[in-house]
Amino acid sequence: MLSKFQKNIFLITAPSGAGKTSLIKNILKYANIREKKIFLSISDTTRAPRQGELNNIDYCFIDKLKFKENIKDGKYIEHAEVHGNFYGTPKANIEQHLEDGYKVILEIDWQGALTILKYYPDAQSIFISPPSLEDLSKRLTKRGLDSEEVILKRIKGAELELKQKDHFKFQIVNNLLDTATENLINIIFKGNNG
Ligand code: 5GP
């Protein structure tokens, strides 16, 4: 049933600190102003909320026990461990939104994106890179949301993540936010996604 609409799935992957959240905010703003149908999937996570994050908006924050229960109940299209926390994409809502003509955005790590591509090979996969690892380190420190230990873990993870970018159909370097936003708009809304 889903295959007919799989081109309307957009998998957006980036090392944390690459500016993915700002980019997605811009995309939602663009869609809102133009009344375009867009649905951003909200993942479950066992990670603790960061300052300013809201339950059921940024993520559904759940404990490990509930996460395991959900896996057993087949609630996720995919799930993965990232930086020591668990993340899962709920099945519910996605198919319905595709049927209703929405573009569905999944903001997930590379493992999740590759899993989804196995099921939906025509989904659009987009990798966002920071201009450099030094830049990433600066951004993570500047945003002040994570401890030094967590930041180091994320930078190490980013080195590995960046090696995965060739598996993705589209690659955007987030050097200037406006230019990167424009590239993403072209892929999602202007059909430049072959
Ligand atoms: P953060 O903790 O910084 O919000 O996210 C860490 C990483 O987990 C990011 O790369 C983010 O895209 C990824 N992530 C968020 N939700 C999911 C999900 O449902 N599945 C997978 N596989 N990764 C996710």
Side-chain angles (χ1 to χ4, degrees):
M1 181 174 73
L2 195 54
S3 59
K4 203 162 102 198
F5 302 107
Q6 53 178 295
K7 278 199 165 181
N8 280 336
I9 300 177
F10 295 86
L11 308 168
I12 302 189
T13 296
S16 64
K20 181 178 51 178
T21 308
S22 311
L23 270 171
I24 288 179
K25 252 192 212 149
N26 285 351
I27 292 300
L28 295 181
K29 218 193 280 168
Y30 176 94
N32 228 335
I33 291 170
R34 290 161 184 79
E35 297 184 351
K36 304 223 179 246
K37 288 178 158 185
I38 195 151
F39 172 67
L40 175 64
S41 165
I42 300 173
S43 299
D44 285 356
T45 183
T46 60
R47 164 166 83 60
R50 295 193 186 110
Q51 203 185 344
E53 281 185 332
L54 298 171
N55 193 29
N56 297 325
I57 291 184
D58 296 292
Y59 281 106
C60 296
F61 295 99
I62 62 175
D63 61 26
K64 280 191 182 156
L65 207 69
K66 177 78 183 142
F67 198 91
K68 280 187 186 157
E69 222 175 271
N70 287 343
I71 294 174
K72 241 190 4 216
D73 295 344
K75 200 182 150 197
Y76 300 126
I77 294 190
E78 66 75 40
H79 58 89
E81 188 179 347
V82 187
H83 310 307
N85 298 303
F86 295 96
Y87 297 83
T89 308
K91 277 183 194 158
N93 281 333
I94 293 182
E95 292 200 19
Q96 195 52 52
H97 279 91
L98 285 170
E99 287 279 334
D100 292 344
Y102 280 77
K103 293 182 188 283
V104 171
I105 295 193
L106 303 182
E107 187 187 338
I108 59 181
D109 88 314
W110 65 271
Q111 308 167 76
L114 296 188
T115 304
I116 299 227
L117 281 172
K118 274 191 204 145
Y119 293 108
Y120 309 119
D122 287 338
Q124 314 289 343
S125 58
I126 305 160
F127 194 96
I128 316 276
S129 303
S132 65
L133 281 175
E134 291 76 52
D135 183 89
L136 186 75
S137 165
K138 270 192 213 145
R139 286 191 203 193
L140 287 172
T141 309
K142 199 169 142 202
R143 78 178 182 184
L145 293 175
D146 299 299
S147 67
E148 203 173 316
E149 189 195 338
V150 169
I151 290 176
L152 282 176
K153 210 168 167 186
R154 283 173 185 256
I155 292 169
K156 250 189 149 174
E159 284 182 56
L160 288 175
E161 283 159 10
L162 285 168
K163 291 198 176 125
Q164 303 298 327
K165 67 174 193 286
D166 292 341
H167 294 297
F168 288 71
K169 185 170 173 187
F170 300 99
Q171 293 160 15
I172 295 177
V173 179
N174 188 11
N175 199 349
L176 289 172
L177 184 62
D178 286 351
T179 312
T181 300
E182 206 173 301
N183 287 338
L184 200 51
I185 287 171
N186 282 338
I187 293 167
I188 299 176
F189 296 108
K190 302 198 173 158
N192 296 341
N193 54 34

